[in-house]
Amino acid sequence: MSLLGFHRKKNKGFGSYKDSTHVEVYERIAADLRTTPQHVYEIAHGKLTQDFDDTVIRERLRAENILS
């Protein structure tokens, strides 16, 4: 293992949003907020919010009763 490989960020591997039962919700939120449905899905499944836009997505997911 190289020393540089030791510091690489690990990919959590969220999978595809298309395998979810909430595909339509993710696509609707993504279209409204001009982002990708995959990004919305990742936030719904634990990706940390990094900016205000991600916070808005999280609030929309709560409004849709996907997050509590």
Side-chain angles (χ1 to χ4, degrees), residues 34-47:
R34 294 188 178 131
T35 188
T36 64
Q38 183 66 34
H39 183 68
V40 175
Y41 172 82
E42 290 173 2
I43 291 173
H45 286 85
K47 183 175 182 177

Side-chain angles (χ1 to χ4, degrees), residues 35-66:
T35 188
T36 64
Q38 183 66 34
H39 183 68
V40 175
Y41 172 82
E42 290 173 2
I43 291 173
H45 286 85
K47 183 175 182 177
L48 298 177
T49 56
Q50 297 183 352
D51 54 26
F52 180 72
D53 292 340
D54 290 352
T55 304
V56 172
I57 292 170
R58 185 175 299 282
E59 291 303 316
R60 288 284 302 269
L61 290 166
R62 282 192 182 108
E64 294 284 346
N65 293 320
I66 293 176

Side-chain angles (χ1 to χ4, degrees), residues 16-27:
S16 175
Y17 81 96
K18 293 181 181 182
D19 297 330
S20 174
T21 57
H22 303 291
V23 172
E24 297 84 15
V25 176
Y26 298 143
E27 289 176 344

